[in-house]
Amino acid sequence: MPSPIRTLHATCHCRATTLSFALPCTALPLPVHFCHCTICRKTHGTLFSTHAEIPCPDTNLSAMTSYKSSEHVTKWFCKICGAHMLDRVDGGEHLKWYVAVSLVDAEEEVWKYTGHHFVESTKDGGAAVMMGRIGGVEMGMWKERKIEGGGFYERGNWSLSESVAGADEVEEKGMLRAKCHCGGVDFWIALPDVDEARPEPPVTKNPSKWSGRHCVCNSCRTTTSSFISSWINISSSALQEKAKSPLISEDSACLGTTYKSAKDVSRTFCNVCGASVSYRREEGAGVLKIAAGLLEGRGSRAESRIEWIKEVHETEYARLPQATQAFALGVENAG
Ligand SMILES: [Zn+2]
Ligand SMILES: [Zn+2]
Ligand SMILES: [Zn+2]
């Protein structure tokens, strides 16, 4: 008797883009990996991406914008809200399709977490070190792609390299730089003025750092396509088009295309590569959240400039509860 078929669906925040794929129940749970590579961080604006290989999906690709992020990889994101839905890897004999797991409407048991890819590119372990174990299962940590029997990265040995492309300029200028993968969004952020009152809590212990916070709410998840979205909270007066240049306004096109995810919430994303860029509440004038995945520097968590709040925001809404719980625990126990 043939195995029963299960059809799974994925949707972005604005619901203009949907996809579905069918597979035999015997193929479940589907292997899932977390990717921490620079391309994933800088096209999603998050600290990592979460993908599963799926059969060729049923979808309308013309409702999405495609972006070729490397020679063999094409990514598709929603034209309206910017959510990355799908990746396709062309190479070898077959096309391989990968879905953004965080957008799939399914219980967590459908997935089997296998581990972390491209951890080396984070320089500091990034978000991988927060999720060393999920649901009691040890996660693989690979320098690059998962290779059976090779390249496994031992945990707890994260020494920041002396020189990292782009980092030296950031260090030298004493600022932060946010840049998406295609480079269409590229701006600088001054560090907080120690004497100036912060526009919004949380207050950092170190007054010369901005605060950062991870959020798992549905709006963040379905626009960034990541079940964990990481934001840094800055004064909009800290935005600069070039280092040490005049300020730019928070309405500037420098921040990308605007999508209103709620009546009082404006988000922006790069309309070329799909990276989430910013998030702002109308009532919180002067305060802006910037997608942490865009930050350049020595270490993907940018801890020389950012103090991460040890509590993950809105965990009660988690789409992937076990992975979220692991991450939240990792954040709580970090440093
Ligand atoms: Zn959309
Ligand atoms: Zn990647
Ligand atoms: Zn871009």
Side-chain angles (χ1 to χ4, degrees):
M1 212 174 72
S3 159
I5 300 289
R6 171 116 189 239
T7 303
L8 295 170
H9 308 274
T11 327
C12 64
H13 185 269
C14 78
R15 300 189 167 269
T17 316
T18 57
L19 69 81
S20 56
F21 54 97
L23 64 192
C25 289
T26 50
L28 300 177
L30 273 187
V32 168
H33 69 275
F34 307 103
C35 185
H36 302 263
C37 80
T38 310
I39 297 174
C40 286
R41 283 185 277 119
K42 289 196 166 259
T43 53
H44 286 255
T46 54
L47 293 183
F48 62 99
S49 73
T50 309
H51 282 98
E53 190 182 345
I54 56 167
C56 182
D58 183 8
T59 187
N60 175 12
L61 289 179
S62 68
M64 299 181 240
T65 300
S66 68
Y67 176 68
K68 213 164 158 23
S69 59
S70 63
E71 198 188 338
H72 298 294
V73 181
T74 308
K75 296 173 176 285
W76 280 270
F77 60 91
C78 174
K79 285 189 164 117
I80 295 171
C81 70
H84 273 276
M85 304 288 292
L86 202 58
D87 287 10
R88 190 185 68 198
V89 179
D90 313 341
E93 287 169 27
H94 302 287
L95 298 178
K96 286 184 172 180
W97 296 91
Y98 293 87
V99 71
V101 163
S102 306
L103 299 181
V104 178
D105 190 12
E107 69 282 8
E108 196 171 27
E109 288 66 30
V110 158
W111 314 111
K112 180 182 184 238
Y113 303 118
T114 59
H116 303 280
H117 292 193
F118 288 96
V119 182
E120 191 167 43
S121 101
T122 66
K123 314 295 177 203
D124 58 3
V129 290
M130 311 294 177
M131 293 185 285
R133 294 178 80 85
I134 299 178
V137 179
E138 186 103 4
M139 294 290 110
M141 295 255 252
W142 283 273
K143 288 185 179 183
E144 295 190 357
R145 258 179 216 94
K146 178 178 177 179
I147 304 161
E148 293 308 337
F152 187 85
Y153 221 139
E154 292 296 329
R155 218 152 282 141
N157 177 26
W158 303 104
S159 43
L160 296 181
S161 41
E162 282 301 308
S163 183
V164 179
D168 293 329
E169 199 190 354
V170 169
E171 295 292 323
E172 180 205 317
K173 295 206 161 77
M175 299 179 76
L176 279 160
R177 185 183 198 173
K179 192 176 171 186
C180 69
H181 187 257
C182 76
V185 170
D186 183 1
F187 56 88
W188 290 77
I189 302 161
L191 294 182
D193 190 331
V194 178
D195 301 324
E196 209 179 291
R198 293 301 178 88
E200 193 194 45
V203 180
T204 53
K205 286 194 208 100
N206 183 335
S208 62
K209 290 184 180 186
W210 292 117
S211 66
R213 181 178 243 174
H214 310 285
C215 184
V216 301
C217 83
N218 280 322
S219 311
C220 283
R221 173 175 61 80
T222 53
T223 49
T224 68
S225 311
S226 177
F227 68 100
I228 306 282
S229 301
S230 304
W231 302 100
I232 60 164
N233 308 299
I234 67 162
S235 292
S236 46
S237 61
L239 285 178
Q240 302 189 8
E241 194 170 342
K242 293 203 182 74
K244 317 284 184 199
S245 77
L247 308 178
I248 55 175
S249 104
E250 56 190 277
D251 296 316
S252 163
C254 292
L255 296 179
T257 301
T258 300
Y259 169 67
K260 281 187 85 93
S261 61
K263 217 169 86 206
D264 62 336
V265 176
S266 292
R267 295 170 184 267
T268 63
F269 65 96
C270 172
N271 66 4
V272 175
C273 71
S276 283
V277 177
S278 73
Y279 166 104
R280 168 166 70 101
R281 275 185 190 284
E282 240 137 67
E283 69 203 30
V287 185
L288 196 59
K289 295 180 198 301
I290 301 294
L294 303 184
L295 298 178
E296 305 261 291
R298 220 161 270 168
S300 69
R301 295 196 308 271
E303 281 173 355
S304 65
R305 305 273 190 266
I306 310 290
E307 202 171 292
W308 290 97
I309 307 303
K310 285 184 177 290
E311 182 200 350
V312 176
H313 205 39
E314 307 206 19
T315 45
E316 63 272 32
Y317 298 111
R319 164 57 60 92
L320 302 169
Q322 284 203 343
T324 303
Q325 198 184 31
F327 182 83
L329 203 66
V331 168
E332 205 181 300
N333 296 330

